[in-house]
Amino acid sequence: MIMERNFAPVIIFSFSKKDCELYAMQMAKLDFNTIEEKKLVDEVFNNAMDVLSEDDRKLPQVENVIPLLRRGIGIHHGGLLPILKETIEILFGLGLIKALFATETFAMGLNMPARTVVFTNCQKFDGKDFRFITSGEYIQMSGRAGRRGLDDKGIVILMIDQKVTPSVVKSMVQGKADPINSAFHLTYNMVLNLLRVEEINPEYMLERSFYQFQNQAVIPDLIDKVKAKQKEYNALSIEQEHSIASYCNIRSQLELLGSQFRSFITKPEYIKPFLQPGRLVKVKTEKYTSTTGAL
């Protein structure tokens, strides 16, 4: 349907490496490339594989992927050789791959848009259990649909083979993206490395970091919160404030003296003679209320 309606190129996201290869092999009889495009695929692929040794060129994944690439079908997942992944990305960028079966890692950090995105499933295994994909994951992967300057819209097809409640679909499709927070941490090693480069000003680099941008962005909200708290503080009115302050000061002194007294009398040389069977002991801690028990 996608090829008949000219919705290619298409990225088919699957959450399993095995499924990516299985689905691609099921399409091995289809051919989406012309003779000229097949020649270009061979030229790009052979040039890229020249960096490998003779033994590496005979690896099963290298030999099995070229027939698919000639037909305009690609596979992209973490189990492939880096040179293979890079070659497939180049071919996809040149428009020589019409259908790419990939895991969700293809949507992270690679500027490889397509006209159509297909989800083979709406559930994924997160290491513990199967769960529905989050709105952030859906936005990240579905965002590959639609090429800037080429398509007026992107097409997303979500294949669902089980019963899903409307609330789950709504939270998945219409939910908000995951918040992006900087994990930048300034270290001595980083500062020294920046100082070693003559053309780089460390202060300029730090000012332009995403971490500093986030800190600057929250300043207006913090100022508003401070003004609101200051307004609440100014509106407070306490009757007999001097007497209450004097009472609080006396209470804090009593607590301090009491803690000093307890630390003195609980020393082993003073408390040991009193720890005899039949006596009651009252235990008081900061976390729990006082309890009484018999020895």
Side-chain angles (χ1 to χ4, degrees), residues 96-159:
L96 298 175
I97 293 179
K98 307 300 189 300
L100 179 66
F101 293 85
T103 54
E104 59 183 321
T105 54
F106 188 77
M108 308 294 177
L110 289 173
N111 184 21
M112 294 288 173
R115 189 171 186 184
T116 307
V117 166
V118 177
F119 292 83
T120 59
N121 201 345
C122 59
Q123 279 191 328
K124 62 174 289 188
F125 186 72
D126 60 0
K128 295 182 179 179
D129 199 2
F130 284 94
R131 62 167 176 81
F132 290 101
I133 59 176
T134 64
S135 58
E137 292 169 338
Y138 176 81
I139 291 171
Q140 183 71 31
M141 287 182 276
S142 63
R144 297 297 178 208
R147 298 164 295 178
R148 182 177 297 176
L150 296 175
D151 304 322
D152 55 350
K153 63 180 179 181
I155 301 166
V156 180
I157 301 173
L158 182 60
M159 300 173 66

Short mmCIF file of all heavy atoms in Angstrom, two decimals, residues 96-159:
data_model
loop_
_atom_site.label_atom_id
_atom_site.label_comp_id
_atom_site.label_asym_id
_atom_site.label_seq_id
_atom_site.Cartn_x
_atom_site.Cartn_y
_atom_site.Cartn_z
N LEU A 96 18.38 5.54 -1.81
CA LEU A 96 18.52 4.24 -2.45
C LEU A 96 17.89 3.12 -1.64
O LEU A 96 17.83 1.97 -2.09
CB LEU A 96 20.01 3.93 -2.68
CG LEU A 96 20.74 4.92 -3.59
CD1 LEU A 96 22.22 4.60 -3.64
CD2 LEU A 96 20.14 4.90 -4.99
N ILE A 97 17.44 3.42 -0.42
CA ILE A 97 16.69 2.46 0.41
C ILE A 97 15.28 3.00 0.58
O ILE A 97 15.08 4.09 1.12
CB ILE A 97 17.37 2.25 1.78
CG1 ILE A 97 18.72 1.55 1.61
CG2 ILE A 97 16.47 1.43 2.70
CD1 ILE A 97 19.46 1.33 2.91
N LYS A 98 14.33 2.23 0.11
CA LYS A 98 12.93 2.67 0.16
C LYS A 98 12.22 2.21 1.42
O LYS A 98 11.28 2.85 1.88
CB LYS A 98 12.18 2.13 -1.08
CG LYS A 98 12.84 2.46 -2.42
CD LYS A 98 12.95 3.95 -2.64
CE LYS A 98 13.41 4.28 -4.06
NZ LYS A 98 14.72 3.74 -4.42
N ALA A 99 12.64 1.08 1.98
CA ALA A 99 12.04 0.53 3.19
C ALA A 99 13.15 0.12 4.15
O ALA A 99 13.96 -0.74 3.82
CB ALA A 99 11.14 -0.67 2.87
N LEU A 100 13.19 0.77 5.30
CA LEU A 100 14.25 0.50 6.28
C LEU A 100 13.63 -0.07 7.55
O LEU A 100 12.79 0.57 8.17
CB LEU A 100 15.03 1.78 6.59
CG LEU A 100 16.15 1.64 7.62
CD1 LEU A 100 17.26 0.75 7.09
CD2 LEU A 100 16.71 3.01 8.00
N PHE A 101 14.07 -1.28 7.93
CA PHE A 101 13.62 -1.90 9.17
C PHE A 101 14.65 -1.57 10.25
O PHE A 101 15.82 -1.97 10.13
CB PHE A 101 13.48 -3.41 8.99
CG PHE A 101 12.38 -3.80 8.05
CD1 PHE A 101 12.60 -3.85 6.68
CD2 PHE A 101 11.12 -4.10 8.52
CE1 PHE A 101 11.58 -4.21 5.81
CE2 PHE A 101 10.10 -4.45 7.67
CZ PHE A 101 10.32 -4.49 6.30
N ALA A 102 14.22 -0.86 11.28
CA ALA A 102 15.16 -0.37 12.28
C ALA A 102 14.59 -0.50 13.68
O ALA A 102 13.37 -0.57 13.87
CB ALA A 102 15.52 1.09 11.99
N THR A 103 15.49 -0.52 14.64
CA THR A 103 15.09 -0.44 16.04
C THR A 103 14.99 1.04 16.42
O THR A 103 15.35 1.93 15.64
CB THR A 103 16.11 -1.16 16.95
OG1 THR A 103 17.42 -0.64 16.68
CG2 THR A 103 16.11 -2.65 16.68
N GLU A 104 14.55 1.30 17.65
CA GLU A 104 14.30 2.68 18.06
C GLU A 104 15.58 3.51 18.14
O GLU A 104 15.51 4.75 18.15
CB GLU A 104 13.59 2.71 19.40
CG GLU A 104 14.35 2.04 20.53
CD GLU A 104 13.55 2.04 21.82
OE1 GLU A 104 12.88 3.05 22.10
OE2 GLU A 104 13.59 1.03 22.54
N THR A 105 16.75 2.87 18.18
CA THR A 105 18.00 3.63 18.24
C THR A 105 18.22 4.46 16.98
O THR A 105 18.96 5.44 17.00
CB THR A 105 19.20 2.69 18.43
OG1 THR A 105 19.18 1.68 17.40
CG2 THR A 105 19.14 2.00 19.78
N PHE A 106 17.59 4.07 15.87
CA PHE A 106 17.73 4.84 14.63
C PHE A 106 17.11 6.22 14.76
O PHE A 106 17.49 7.15 14.04
CB PHE A 106 17.07 4.07 13.48
CG PHE A 106 17.32 4.69 12.12
CD1 PHE A 106 18.53 4.51 11.48
CD2 PHE A 106 16.34 5.45 11.50
CE1 PHE A 106 18.77 5.08 10.24
CE2 PHE A 106 16.57 6.03 10.25
CZ PHE A 106 17.79 5.83 9.62
N ALA A 107 16.16 6.37 15.67
CA ALA A 107 15.48 7.65 15.86
C ALA A 107 16.25 8.57 16.80
O ALA A 107 15.85 9.72 17.00
CB ALA A 107 14.06 7.43 16.39
N MET A 108 17.35 8.09 17.39
CA MET A 108 18.10 8.87 18.36
C MET A 108 19.36 9.45 17.73
O MET A 108 20.28 8.71 17.39
CB MET A 108 18.48 8.00 19.57
CG MET A 108 17.31 7.27 20.19
SD MET A 108 16.13 8.40 20.95
CE MET A 108 14.87 7.23 21.50
N GLY A 109 19.38 10.73 17.54
CA GLY A 109 20.60 11.40 17.12
C GLY A 109 20.92 11.35 15.64
O GLY A 109 21.93 11.90 15.22
N LEU A 110 20.10 10.69 14.83
CA LEU A 110 20.36 10.62 13.40
C LEU A 110 19.32 11.45 12.66
O LEU A 110 18.12 11.30 12.88
CB LEU A 110 20.29 9.18 12.89
CG LEU A 110 21.43 8.25 13.32
CD1 LEU A 110 21.12 6.83 12.89
CD2 LEU A 110 22.75 8.69 12.75
N ASN A 111 19.78 12.33 11.80
CA ASN A 111 18.86 13.15 11.01
C ASN A 111 18.53 12.41 9.72
O ASN A 111 19.08 12.69 8.66
CB ASN A 111 19.49 14.52 10.71
CG ASN A 111 18.52 15.43 9.98
OD1 ASN A 111 17.30 15.23 10.03
ND2 ASN A 111 19.05 16.42 9.30
N MET A 112 17.66 11.43 9.83
CA MET A 112 17.28 10.59 8.70
C MET A 112 15.76 10.57 8.57
O MET A 112 15.11 9.60 8.98
CB MET A 112 17.81 9.15 8.89
CG MET A 112 19.31 9.04 8.87
SD MET A 112 19.99 9.28 7.21
CE MET A 112 21.74 9.31 7.56
N PRO A 113 15.16 11.63 8.06
CA PRO A 113 13.71 11.65 7.94
C PRO A 113 13.21 10.80 6.79
O PRO A 113 13.94 10.52 5.84
CB PRO A 113 13.41 13.13 7.70
CG PRO A 113 14.63 13.66 7.02
CD PRO A 113 15.78 12.87 7.59
N ALA A 114 11.96 10.38 6.89
CA ALA A 114 11.30 9.61 5.84
C ALA A 114 9.91 10.20 5.63
O ALA A 114 9.47 11.07 6.38
CB ALA A 114 11.22 8.14 6.21
N ARG A 115 9.24 9.71 4.61
CA ARG A 115 7.88 10.21 4.38
C ARG A 115 6.88 9.48 5.27
O ARG A 115 5.88 10.06 5.70
CB ARG A 115 7.49 10.01 2.91
CG ARG A 115 6.17 10.69 2.57
CD ARG A 115 5.89 10.68 1.09
NE ARG A 115 4.70 11.46 0.80
CZ ARG A 115 4.16 11.58 -0.41
NH1 ARG A 115 4.72 10.98 -1.44
NH2 ARG A 115 3.07 12.30 -0.59
N THR A 116 7.14 8.21 5.55
CA THR A 116 6.22 7.40 6.34
C THR A 116 6.98 6.66 7.44
O THR A 116 8.12 6.23 7.24
CB THR A 116 5.50 6.37 5.44
OG1 THR A 116 4.90 7.04 4.34
CG2 THR A 116 4.43 5.61 6.21
N VAL A 117 6.34 6.54 8.59
CA VAL A 117 6.88 5.77 9.71
C VAL A 117 5.84 4.73 10.11
O VAL A 117 4.66 5.06 10.24
CB VAL A 117 7.22 6.67 10.91
CG1 VAL A 117 7.43 5.84 12.17
CG2 VAL A 117 8.46 7.50 10.63
N VAL A 118 6.28 3.49 10.27
CA VAL A 118 5.39 2.40 10.65
C VAL A 118 5.88 1.79 11.96
O VAL A 118 7.07 1.51 12.10
CB VAL A 118 5.32 1.31 9.55
CG1 VAL A 118 4.44 0.14 10.02
CG2 VAL A 118 4.78 1.89 8.26
N PHE A 119 4.97 1.61 12.91
CA PHE A 119 5.27 0.89 14.15
C PHE A 119 4.71 -0.52 14.02
O PHE A 119 3.51 -0.71 13.82
CB PHE A 119 4.63 1.59 15.36
CG PHE A 119 5.22 2.91 15.70
CD1 PHE A 119 4.81 4.07 15.03
CD2 PHE A 119 6.18 3.03 16.68
CE1 PHE A 119 5.36 5.29 15.35
CE2 PHE A 119 6.72 4.27 17.00
CZ PHE A 119 6.31 5.40 16.33
N THR A 120 5.57 -1.53 14.13
CA THR A 120 5.09 -2.90 14.02
C THR A 120 4.36 -3.35 15.29
O THR A 120 3.63 -4.33 15.27
CB THR A 120 6.25 -3.86 13.76
OG1 THR A 120 7.21 -3.75 14.84
CG2 THR A 120 6.93 -3.52 12.45
N ASN A 121 4.57 -2.63 16.39
CA ASN A 121 3.93 -2.98 17.65
C ASN A 121 3.89 -1.74 18.51
O ASN A 121 4.68 -0.80 18.32
CB ASN A 121 4.69 -4.11 18.35
CG ASN A 121 3.84 -4.83 19.36
OD1 ASN A 121 2.77 -4.35 19.76
ND2 ASN A 121 4.28 -6.00 19.79
N CYS A 122 2.95 -1.71 19.44
CA CYS A 122 2.86 -0.58 20.35
C CYS A 122 3.39 -0.93 21.74
O CYS A 122 3.27 -0.13 22.67
CB CYS A 122 1.41 -0.08 20.45
SG CYS A 122 0.25 -1.32 21.03
N GLN A 123 3.97 -2.13 21.87
CA GLN A 123 4.55 -2.55 23.13
C GLN A 123 6.03 -2.87 22.94
O GLN A 123 6.44 -3.28 21.86
CB GLN A 123 3.83 -3.78 23.70
CG GLN A 123 2.54 -3.47 24.42
CD GLN A 123 2.02 -4.68 25.19
OE1 GLN A 123 2.22 -5.82 24.78
NE2 GLN A 123 1.36 -4.44 26.30
N LYS A 124 6.80 -2.69 24.01
CA LYS A 124 8.22 -3.01 23.97
C LYS A 124 8.63 -3.64 25.29
O LYS A 124 7.97 -3.45 26.32
CB LYS A 124 9.06 -1.77 23.69
CG LYS A 124 8.94 -0.70 24.77
CD LYS A 124 9.89 0.45 24.54
CE LYS A 124 11.31 0.07 24.80
NZ LYS A 124 12.24 1.21 24.77
N PHE A 125 9.71 -4.38 25.25
CA PHE A 125 10.27 -5.01 26.46
C PHE A 125 11.34 -4.09 27.02
O PHE A 125 12.32 -3.78 26.35
CB PHE A 125 10.86 -6.38 26.12
CG PHE A 125 11.33 -7.15 27.32
CD1 PHE A 125 10.42 -7.71 28.20
CD2 PHE A 125 12.68 -7.31 27.57
CE1 PHE A 125 10.85 -8.42 29.30
CE2 PHE A 125 13.12 -8.02 28.67
CZ PHE A 125 12.19 -8.57 29.54
N ASP A 126 11.14 -3.63 28.26
CA ASP A 126 12.06 -2.66 28.85
C ASP A 126 13.11 -3.29 29.75
O ASP A 126 13.75 -2.59 30.54
CB ASP A 126 11.27 -1.60 29.63
CG ASP A 126 10.45 -2.22 30.77
OD1 ASP A 126 10.50 -3.45 30.93
OD2 ASP A 126 9.77 -1.45 31.48
N GLY A 127 13.28 -4.61 29.65
CA GLY A 127 14.25 -5.30 30.49
C GLY A 127 13.60 -6.07 31.62
O GLY A 127 14.20 -7.01 32.16
N LYS A 128 12.40 -5.68 32.00
CA LYS A 128 11.67 -6.38 33.07
C LYS A 128 10.34 -6.93 32.58
O LYS A 128 9.99 -8.06 32.89
CB LYS A 128 11.43 -5.42 34.25
CG LYS A 128 12.69 -4.96 34.95
CD LYS A 128 12.35 -4.06 36.13
CE LYS A 128 13.61 -3.61 36.86
NZ LYS A 128 13.30 -2.72 38.01
N ASP A 129 9.61 -6.14 31.85
CA ASP A 129 8.28 -6.55 31.41
C ASP A 129 7.92 -5.82 30.13
O ASP A 129 8.55 -4.83 29.75
CB ASP A 129 7.26 -6.24 32.51
CG ASP A 129 5.97 -7.04 32.35
OD1 ASP A 129 5.92 -7.86 31.40
OD2 ASP A 129 5.04 -6.85 33.15
N PHE A 130 6.87 -6.29 29.46
CA PHE A 130 6.37 -5.62 28.27
C PHE A 130 5.47 -4.45 28.69
O PHE A 130 4.64 -4.59 29.58
CB PHE A 130 5.58 -6.59 27.39
CG PHE A 130 6.45 -7.53 26.61
CD1 PHE A 130 6.76 -8.79 27.11
CD2 PHE A 130 6.98 -7.15 25.38
CE1 PHE A 130 7.57 -9.65 26.39
CE2 PHE A 130 7.79 -8.02 24.66
CZ PHE A 130 8.08 -9.27 25.16
N ARG A 131 5.67 -3.32 28.07
CA ARG A 131 4.87 -2.13 28.37
C ARG A 131 4.59 -1.37 27.08
O ARG A 131 5.26 -1.56 26.07
CB ARG A 131 5.60 -1.22 29.36
CG ARG A 131 6.93 -0.68 28.83
CD ARG A 131 7.45 0.45 29.69
NE ARG A 131 8.75 0.91 29.25
CZ ARG A 131 8.96 1.77 28.25
NH1 ARG A 131 7.92 2.25 27.57
NH2 ARG A 131 10.18 2.16 27.93
N PHE A 132 3.57 -0.51 27.14
CA PHE A 132 3.27 0.34 26.01
C PHE A 132 4.33 1.43 25.90
O PHE A 132 4.86 1.89 26.91
CB PHE A 132 1.88 0.97 26.15
CG PHE A 132 0.75 -0.02 26.01
CD1 PHE A 132 0.10 -0.51 27.13
CD2 PHE A 132 0.36 -0.47 24.77
CE1 PHE A 132 -0.93 -1.43 27.02
CE2 PHE A 132 -0.68 -1.39 24.63
CZ PHE A 132 -1.32 -1.87 25.76
N ILE A 133 4.62 1.84 24.67
CA ILE A 133 5.62 2.89 24.49
C ILE A 133 5.10 4.20 25.08
O ILE A 133 3.90 4.47 25.06
CB ILE A 133 5.98 3.07 23.00
CG1 ILE A 133 4.74 3.41 22.17
CG2 ILE A 133 6.67 1.84 22.47
CD1 ILE A 133 5.03 3.70 20.73
N THR A 134 5.99 4.99 25.60
CA THR A 134 5.60 6.27 26.20
C THR A 134 5.38 7.32 25.12
O THR A 134 5.75 7.12 23.95
CB THR A 134 6.69 6.75 27.17
OG1 THR A 134 7.90 7.00 26.43
CG2 THR A 134 6.97 5.69 28.24
N SER A 135 4.77 8.42 25.52
CA SER A 135 4.52 9.50 24.56
C SER A 135 5.83 10.07 24.04
O SER A 135 5.94 10.44 22.87
CB SER A 135 3.70 10.60 25.23
OG SER A 135 4.36 11.12 26.37
N GLY A 136 6.86 10.12 24.91
CA GLY A 136 8.16 10.63 24.46
C GLY A 136 8.79 9.74 23.41
O GLY A 136 9.36 10.23 22.43
N GLU A 137 8.70 8.43 23.60
CA GLU A 137 9.23 7.49 22.60
C GLU A 137 8.45 7.58 21.30
O GLU A 137 9.03 7.54 20.21
CB GLU A 137 9.18 6.07 23.16
CG GLU A 137 10.14 5.84 24.32
CD GLU A 137 9.88 4.53 25.04
OE1 GLU A 137 8.75 4.02 24.94
OE2 GLU A 137 10.80 4.03 25.70
N TYR A 138 7.12 7.72 21.41
CA TYR A 138 6.30 7.83 20.21
C TYR A 138 6.63 9.11 19.44
O TYR A 138 6.77 9.10 18.21
CB TYR A 138 4.82 7.82 20.59
CG TYR A 138 3.88 8.03 19.42
CD1 TYR A 138 3.55 6.98 18.57
CD2 TYR A 138 3.35 9.29 19.13
CE1 TYR A 138 2.71 7.18 17.48
CE2 TYR A 138 2.52 9.50 18.05
CZ TYR A 138 2.20 8.44 17.23
OH TYR A 138 1.38 8.64 16.15
N ILE A 139 6.78 10.22 20.16
CA ILE A 139 7.10 11.49 19.52
C ILE A 139 8.46 11.42 18.84
O ILE A 139 8.65 11.92 17.72
CB ILE A 139 7.06 12.63 20.56
CG1 ILE A 139 5.62 12.88 21.02
CG2 ILE A 139 7.66 13.92 19.99
CD1 ILE A 139 5.51 13.83 22.18
N GLN A 140 9.43 10.78 19.51
CA GLN A 140 10.79 10.70 18.96
C GLN A 140 10.81 9.93 17.65
O GLN A 140 11.44 10.34 16.67
CB GLN A 140 11.71 10.03 19.98
CG GLN A 140 13.16 9.94 19.55
CD GLN A 140 13.86 11.29 19.55
OE1 GLN A 140 13.52 12.16 20.34
NE2 GLN A 140 14.81 11.48 18.66
N MET A 141 10.10 8.79 17.61
CA MET A 141 10.12 7.95 16.41
C MET A 141 9.19 8.46 15.33
O MET A 141 9.54 8.49 14.16
CB MET A 141 9.77 6.50 16.81
CG MET A 141 10.89 5.80 17.55
SD MET A 141 10.52 4.08 17.98
CE MET A 141 9.61 4.33 19.50
N SER A 142 7.98 8.88 15.71
CA SER A 142 7.04 9.38 14.71
C SER A 142 7.51 10.70 14.12
O SER A 142 7.09 11.09 13.03
CB SER A 142 5.65 9.55 15.33
OG SER A 142 5.66 10.52 16.36
N GLY A 143 8.40 11.40 14.84
CA GLY A 143 8.93 12.66 14.32
C GLY A 143 9.79 12.49 13.08
O GLY A 143 10.10 13.48 12.40
N ARG A 144 10.18 11.25 12.76
CA ARG A 144 10.94 10.99 11.54
C ARG A 144 10.06 11.06 10.29
O ARG A 144 10.58 11.07 9.17
CB ARG A 144 11.59 9.61 11.61
CG ARG A 144 12.60 9.47 12.73
CD ARG A 144 13.76 10.39 12.55
NE ARG A 144 14.72 10.29 13.64
CZ ARG A 144 15.49 11.28 14.03
NH1 ARG A 144 15.40 12.45 13.42
NH2 ARG A 144 16.35 11.15 15.01
N ALA A 145 8.74 11.07 10.47
CA ALA A 145 7.83 11.11 9.33
C ALA A 145 7.72 12.54 8.81
O ALA A 145 7.39 13.46 9.55
CB ALA A 145 6.45 10.59 9.74
N GLY A 146 7.99 12.72 7.54
CA GLY A 146 7.90 14.04 6.92
C GLY A 146 9.27 14.66 6.72
O GLY A 146 9.98 14.93 7.68
N ARG A 147 9.64 14.88 5.44
CA ARG A 147 10.94 15.48 5.12
C ARG A 147 10.76 16.97 4.83
O ARG A 147 9.91 17.36 4.03
CB ARG A 147 11.54 14.78 3.89
CG ARG A 147 11.80 13.30 4.09
CD ARG A 147 12.01 12.59 2.77
NE ARG A 147 10.78 12.61 1.96
CZ ARG A 147 10.68 12.11 0.74
NH1 ARG A 147 11.74 11.55 0.18
NH2 ARG A 147 9.55 12.16 0.08
N ARG A 148 11.54 17.76 5.50
CA ARG A 148 11.43 19.22 5.35
C ARG A 148 11.75 19.63 3.92
O ARG A 148 12.77 19.26 3.36
CB ARG A 148 12.38 19.92 6.33
CG ARG A 148 12.32 21.43 6.28
CD ARG A 148 13.23 22.05 7.31
NE ARG A 148 12.82 21.70 8.66
CZ ARG A 148 13.50 22.06 9.76
NH1 ARG A 148 14.62 22.76 9.63
NH2 ARG A 148 13.07 21.73 10.95
N GLY A 149 10.85 20.38 3.34
CA GLY A 149 11.04 20.87 1.99
C GLY A 149 10.59 19.90 0.91
O GLY A 149 10.54 20.26 -0.26
N LEU A 150 10.27 18.66 1.29
CA LEU A 150 9.85 17.66 0.31
C LEU A 150 8.42 17.20 0.52
O LEU A 150 7.68 16.97 -0.43
CB LEU A 150 10.79 16.44 0.36
CG LEU A 150 12.24 16.68 -0.03
CD1 LEU A 150 13.06 15.41 0.19
CD2 LEU A 150 12.35 17.13 -1.49
N ASP A 151 8.00 17.05 1.78
CA ASP A 151 6.67 16.55 2.09
C ASP A 151 5.86 17.63 2.81
O ASP A 151 6.39 18.33 3.68
CB ASP A 151 6.75 15.30 2.97
CG ASP A 151 7.59 14.21 2.33
OD1 ASP A 151 7.50 14.06 1.11
OD2 ASP A 151 8.33 13.53 3.06
N ASP A 152 4.59 17.73 2.44
CA ASP A 152 3.72 18.67 3.14
C ASP A 152 3.16 18.06 4.42
O ASP A 152 2.61 18.77 5.28
CB ASP A 152 2.56 19.12 2.24
CG ASP A 152 1.77 17.94 1.69
OD1 ASP A 152 2.23 16.80 1.86
OD2 ASP A 152 0.69 18.17 1.10
N LYS A 153 3.31 16.75 4.58
CA LYS A 153 2.86 16.08 5.80
C LYS A 153 3.60 14.75 5.94
O LYS A 153 4.10 14.18 4.97
CB LYS A 153 1.35 15.83 5.78
CG LYS A 153 0.90 14.90 4.65
CD LYS A 153 -0.60 14.70 4.68
CE LYS A 153 -1.05 13.79 3.52
NZ LYS A 153 -2.52 13.60 3.51
N GLY A 154 3.68 14.28 7.16
CA GLY A 154 4.27 12.97 7.43
C GLY A 154 3.18 11.98 7.80
O GLY A 154 2.15 12.33 8.39
N ILE A 155 3.38 10.73 7.43
CA ILE A 155 2.38 9.68 7.66
C ILE A 155 2.92 8.71 8.70
O ILE A 155 4.04 8.22 8.58
CB ILE A 155 2.06 8.94 6.35
CG1 ILE A 155 1.54 9.92 5.30
CG2 ILE A 155 1.05 7.82 6.59
CD1 ILE A 155 1.52 9.36 3.90
N VAL A 156 2.12 8.45 9.72
CA VAL A 156 2.50 7.52 10.78
C VAL A 156 1.44 6.42 10.84
O VAL A 156 0.25 6.71 10.96
CB VAL A 156 2.61 8.22 12.14
CG1 VAL A 156 2.99 7.21 13.22
CG2 VAL A 156 3.64 9.34 12.08
N ILE A 157 1.89 5.17 10.76
CA ILE A 157 1.00 4.01 10.83
C ILE A 157 1.37 3.21 12.08
O ILE A 157 2.50 2.74 12.21
CB ILE A 157 1.12 3.12 9.59
CG1 ILE A 157 0.78 3.93 8.33
CG2 ILE A 157 0.21 1.91 9.70
CD1 ILE A 157 1.04 3.20 7.04
N LEU A 158 0.44 3.10 13.00
CA LEU A 158 0.65 2.37 14.25
C LEU A 158 -0.14 1.06 14.19
O LEU A 158 -1.37 1.07 14.21
CB LEU A 158 0.21 3.21 15.45
CG LEU A 158 0.41 2.61 16.84
CD1 LEU A 158 1.89 2.32 17.10
CD2 LEU A 158 -0.14 3.53 17.91
N MET A 159 0.58 -0.04 14.06
CA MET A 159 -0.06 -1.35 13.95
C MET A 159 -0.34 -1.90 15.35
O MET A 159 0.58 -2.05 16.16
CB MET A 159 0.83 -2.32 13.17
CG MET A 159 1.12 -1.86 11.75
SD MET A 159 2.32 -2.90 10.90
CE MET A 159 1.41 -4.43 10.78
#
